[in-house]
């Protein structure tokens, strides 16, 4: 995606002078402003939905979307602050230690056991399914912290796009991370500085995580109407998903699940029914030639290149995903959804496997988890970064994965 691909370009040339940096850092922002209306009069915030859609409201709280960005706290940060488990060494005498101090949570750089720089965690990016990256505030700009957390490694790791042998704090972050990982942040302005664009934010105006209106669009009028017309059972003043075209349905998810783009307008204002062309100035490659795309972030394009998508005129993301509940890795449930179209399927190896091994897991053979080249994270004791595994959405026959599956399930 854009941020990852161009990261080399945005790495600041001026290495921020360590001492000046720690002197002018402001204290981490702990306040979160009430969600209502920050985005404008049409919006109302998720709390208002609970009155009438209690089940959806409650089950949604357990999803990755809901927690995909957060204010930092020991609960939202998945890595450990416990001594012995809280450091990452770049070299034997250079390390960063994650410290919980009386005035907040910090990443602290040490050289020869002497503290060089202590920077507070400012923003948590990622729910912690697989990984989290952390950002910090420097006046009105946001930068990436040097250390991330990998669930897979169960440890602190070097942040993606930073060099593996030095502590760096200089990767500037633009609005993109927030647009895909949050519901809102107020951008005060953008300036061209040298060869890059720098976003300035109002850090008191941010809505972390994806809320209901991030997918359903502004819903204040819907709430008003149904509050004053409790007898009305037909949804009013809200987009009816089933009435959208297949392309509009797919675009709702593709605004964030089709990788990086050059944008025309902020996707914070994407509403169901809108088309991606209103937001992106670069076209999205779909259909035939998608097999070279990275498995990370490109679910829409990969799916569009699959026979299931091409030959059926109904398949979209919601044919398999119910985004109001967490169904992660529930292979039996997903396989049921495959069988809603492939009800009787005979395989050449049917006799080699117990029948329920096949019917309860179509996924490992046809959508295997493949390494992403886009996000890699290096553990301190490894020379090379480990790739992150992501389920491919190019649904087809994978002979290697099949052999593996037969070996594991015989
Ligand atoms: C005062 C009651 C009330 C409140 C509050 C309310 N809704 Fe609804 N909503 C309804 C009713 C009634 C329907 C129609 C029946 C149904 O689909 O459940 C509906 C339907 C919907 C639909 C279905 C559209 C479709 O595709 O059929 C969506 C989406 C929706 N509401 C979103 C929201 C969101 C988001 C919020 C919070 C911002 C919210 N609602 C708050 C009463 C309410
Ligand atoms: C505003 C951007 C955005 C939109 C819109 C969006 N997603 Fe996501 N989605 C994300 C991000 C970011 C993640 C990673 C969440 C995390 O931090 O773990 C994600 C994760 C997921 C996951 C993995 C969840 C898990 O628990 O493993 C699924 C499945 C998914 N999205 C499906 C969808 C579908 C289907 C739609 C459309 C109905 C959709 N998304 C719309 C940004 C978005
Ligand atoms: C175009 C939308 C988009 C942008 C921009 C984006 N992400 Fe993501 N990010 C996603 C999606 C979608 C996923 C999950 C699906 C996947 O990995 O394919 C994800 C996954 C992640 C994860 C792993 C989450 C988890 O819980 O496992 C982290 C961490 C992350 N992104 C951080 C960032 C950071 C930091 C930035 C800004 C530099 C950023 N992302 C920019 C869409 C985006
Ligand atoms: C990731 C995007 C996404 C988010 C976030 C989201 N929804 Fe939905 N919602 C959808 C989609 C897509 C559908 C249509 C599902 C279908 O018909 O297959 C839907 C359908 C609905 C419906 C009507 C159909 C039903 O399933 O009952 C209601 C009501 C609703 N959503 C309310 C909410 C509320 C309340 C929240 C927040 C707690 C929320 N949604 C968050 C994507 C989302
Ligand atoms: C909305 C219906 C639909 C759903 C849901 C669906 N498919 Fe398909 N799939 C199709 C159609 C249509 C084709 C075209 C060939 C055919 O008619 O069988 C196809 C083709 C395939 C092929 C052959 C691919 C090739 O390259 O020749 C595989 C494998 C497959 N699907 C697996 C799956 C799996 C696994 C799932 C669940 C994760 C799934 N499908 C879900 C409709 C669907
Ligand atoms: C044919 C069924 C099917 C369709 C259609 C489908 N998915 Fe998935 N998706 C799956 C399965 C199965 C998984 C793996 C199980 C899991 O991770 O919970 C998955 C996983 C994911 C993940 C997590 C990937 C990872 O490994 O981190 C994301 C994100 C996602 N889907 C988004 C989407 C989006 C966006 C669309 C529409 C463009 C979509 N999916 C369409 C079946 C489907
Ligand atoms: C052990 C791995 C494995 C599992 C599990 C598996 N498949 Fe397959 N599938 C294959 C292979 C390999 C082929 C190629 C044809 C063959 O060997 O029978 C295939 C072929 C297909 C085809 C294309 C058939 C055709 O004639 O073009 C479809 C559709 C399909 N599988 C769907 C499914 C569904 C749905 C499930 C779950 C109920 C499933 N598969 C489970 C490996 C698997």
């Amino acid at each position: 995606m854009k941020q990852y691909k161009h990261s080399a370009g945005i790495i600041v040339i001026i290495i921020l002078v360590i001492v000046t940096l720690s002197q002018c850092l402001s204290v981490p922002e702990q306040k979160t402003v009430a969600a209502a209306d920050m985005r404008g009069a049409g919006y109302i915030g998720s709390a208002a939905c609970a009155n009438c859609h209690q089940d959806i409201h409650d089950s949604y709280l357990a999803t990755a979307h809901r927690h995909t960005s957060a204010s930092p706290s020991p609960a939202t940060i998945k890595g450990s602050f416990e001594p012995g488990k809280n450091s990452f060494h770049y070299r034997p005498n250079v390390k960063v230690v994650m410290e919980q101090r009386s005035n907040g949570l910090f990443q602290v750089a040490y050289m020869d056991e002497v503290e060089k720089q202590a920077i507070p965690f400012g923003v948590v990016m990622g729910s912690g399914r697989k990984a989290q990256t952390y950002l910090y505030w420097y006046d009105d700009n946001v930068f990436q912290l040097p250390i991330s957390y990998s669930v897979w490694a169960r440890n602190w790791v070097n942040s993606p796009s930073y060099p593996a042998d030095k502590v760096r704090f200089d990767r500037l972050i633009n609005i993109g991370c927030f647009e895909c990982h949050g519901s809102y942040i107020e951008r005060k302005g953008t300036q061209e500085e040298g060869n890059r664009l720098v976003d300035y934010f109002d850090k008191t105006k941010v809505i972390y995580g994806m809320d209901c209106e991030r997918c359903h669009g502004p819903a204040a009028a819907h709430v008003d109407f149904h509050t004053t017309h409790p007898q009305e059972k037909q949804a009013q003043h809200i987009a009816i998903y089933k009435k959208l075209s297949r392309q509009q349905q797919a675009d709702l998810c593709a605004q964030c699940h089709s990788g990086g783009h050059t944008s025309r307008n902020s996707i914070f204002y994407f509403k169901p029914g809108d088309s991606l062309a209103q937001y992106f100035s670069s076209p999205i490659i779909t259909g035939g030639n998608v097999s070279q795309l990275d498995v990370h972030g490109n679910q829409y394009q990969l799916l569009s290149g699959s026979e299931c998508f091409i030959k059926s005129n109904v398949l979209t993301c919601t044919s398999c995903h119910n985004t109001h509940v967490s169904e992660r890795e529930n292979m039996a449930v997903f396989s049921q959804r495959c069988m809603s179209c492939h009800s009787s399927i005979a395989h050449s190896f049917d006799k080699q496997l117990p029948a329920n091994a096949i019917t309860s897991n179509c996924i490992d053979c046809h959508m295997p988890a493949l390494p992403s080249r886009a996000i890699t994270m290096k553990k301190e004791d490894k020379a090379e970064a480990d790739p992150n595994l992501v389920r491919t959405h190019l649904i087809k026959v994978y002979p290697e994965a099949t052999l593996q599956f037969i070996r594991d399930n015989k």
Side-chain angles (χ1 to χ4, degrees):
M1 60 190 48
K2 195 178 167 206
Q3 266 78 6
Y4 296 124
K5 250 195 284 179
H6 298 314
S7 54
I10 33 181
I11 286 195
V12 194
I13 300 149
I14 335 140
I15 309 276
L16 300 172
V17 181
I18 287 171
V19 182
T20 29
L21 181 59
S22 45
Q23 276 166 355
C24 30
L25 265 177
S26 49
V27 264
E29 189 59 54
Q30 299 294 359
K31 274 177 291 182
T32 24
V33 178
D37 292 332
M38 208 184 277
R39 291 164 281 191
Y43 290 87
I44 189 164
S46 288
C49 317
N51 286 337
C52 305
H53 304 293
Q54 184 83 48
D55 292 354
I56 292 177
H57 177 271
D58 293 354
S59 66
Y60 183 67
L61 291 177
T63 63
H65 282 145
R66 176 67 188 77
H67 299 285
T68 190
S69 58
S71 182
S73 74
T76 56
I77 297 173
K78 299 300 172 196
S80 175
F81 287 87
E82 240 178 81
K85 295 180 181 165
N86 62 340
S87 62
F88 180 89
H89 284 83
Y90 288 80
R91 296 194 291 274
N93 65 334
V94 179
K95 65 179 177 185
V96 169
V97 183
M98 276 42 74
E99 295 182 11
Q100 184 163 11
R101 297 180 170 181
S102 59
N103 57 342
L105 302 165
F106 291 80
Q107 295 202 357
V108 190
Y110 290 89
M111 188 176 214
D112 297 321
E113 303 300 325
V114 179
E115 180 177 326
K116 293 289 181 188
Q117 198 164 9
I119 309 256
F121 284 82
V123 176
V124 179
M125 282 287 165
S127 68
R129 269 176 328 134
K130 296 186 171 169
Q132 287 183 327
T133 286
Y134 312 98
L135 314 179
Y136 72 93
W137 287 100
Y138 180 71
D139 290 339
D140 298 338
N141 298 127
V142 194
F143 291 83
Q144 184 173 24
L145 281 165
I147 303 301
S148 292
Y149 181 75
S150 159
V151 176
W152 187 39
R154 287 211 218 115
N155 218 330
W156 299 104
V157 291
N158 187 36
S159 292
S161 71
Y162 272 135
D165 56 345
K166 321 184 187 48
V167 188
R168 297 275 290 258
F169 292 88
D170 56 356
R171 183 182 176 208
L172 184 77
I173 295 293
N174 282 355
I175 199 165
C177 303
F178 293 93
E179 286 175 328
C180 288
H181 284 269
S183 296
Y184 188 66
I185 189 166
E186 196 148 303
R187 178 161 54 183
K188 297 194 294 187
T190 301
Q191 262 177 39
E192 217 174 312
E193 291 177 13
N195 60 351
R196 59 187 184 138
L197 290 175
V198 179
D199 285 336
Y200 291 83
F201 300 107
D202 178 345
K203 61 185 151 206
T204 65
K205 291 195 174 149
V206 46
I207 304 172
Y208 290 123
M210 277 170 65
D211 71 356
C212 312
E213 287 163 293
R214 186 68 188 76
C215 280
H216 288 294
H222 170 76
V223 171
D224 268 3
F225 179 88
H226 286 285
T227 307
T228 50
H229 300 78
Q231 72 294 349
E232 177 61 65
K233 300 293 174 228
Q234 292 293 318
Q236 301 291 331
H237 304 290
I238 196 107
I240 308 291
Y241 184 76
K242 288 190 175 62
K243 289 192 185 156
L244 301 177
S245 70
R246 184 201 194 190
Q247 188 61 53
Q248 288 171 322
Q249 293 185 1
D251 283 358
L252 171 62
C253 311
Q255 59 172 306
C256 303
H257 288 280
S258 62
H261 302 281
T262 321
S263 40
R264 216 190 276 282
N265 290 303
S266 171
I267 53 169
F268 277 141
Y269 295 103
F270 187 102
K271 300 181 301 303
D274 286 354
S275 105
L276 292 185
Q278 293 167 244
Y279 297 87
F280 302 142
S281 44
S282 43
I284 301 175
I285 299 154
T286 53
N289 226 351
V290 297
S291 59
Q292 293 307 308
L293 285 176
D294 195 273
V295 283
H296 165 68
N298 295 319
Q299 284 84 17
Y300 168 61
Q301 300 94 311
L302 292 166
L303 186 69
S304 77
S306 309
E307 287 296 306
C308 302
F309 187 90
I310 297 165
K311 299 268 172 68
S312 122
N313 44 24
V314 291
L315 184 84
T316 60
C317 307
T318 48
S319 307
C320 296
H321 293 292
N322 174 354
T323 48
H324 297 144
V325 291
S326 179
E327 297 181 323
R328 186 177 314 152
E329 296 290 326
N330 193 336
M331 299 311 178
V333 162
F334 286 113
S335 300
Q336 284 300 322
R337 292 177 191 153
C338 307
M339 289 184 285
S340 70
C341 292
H342 301 287
S343 50
S344 60
I345 175 83
H347 286 93
S348 57
F349 47 80
D350 278 346
K351 292 205 173 63
Q352 296 180 50
L353 287 171
N356 72 336
I358 298 175
T359 53
S360 64
N361 190 354
C362 319
I363 315 305
D364 280 340
C365 289
H366 291 299
M367 300 180 71
L370 301 176
S372 160
R373 298 176 299 272
I375 318 183
T376 56
M377 296 188 166
K378 201 188 94 54
K379 284 167 77 175
E380 69 176 9
D381 54 348
K382 288 275 194 71
E384 297 282 317
D386 289 317
N388 214 347
L389 296 178
V390 181
R391 287 275 161 201
T392 180
H393 280 64
L394 186 57
I395 304 171
K396 61 183 182 87
V397 174
Y398 291 85
E400 292 281 306
T402 299
L403 290 174
Q404 183 67 43
F405 188 97
I406 293 174
R407 273 198 298 274
D408 294 348
N409 288 276
K410 247 183 183 157

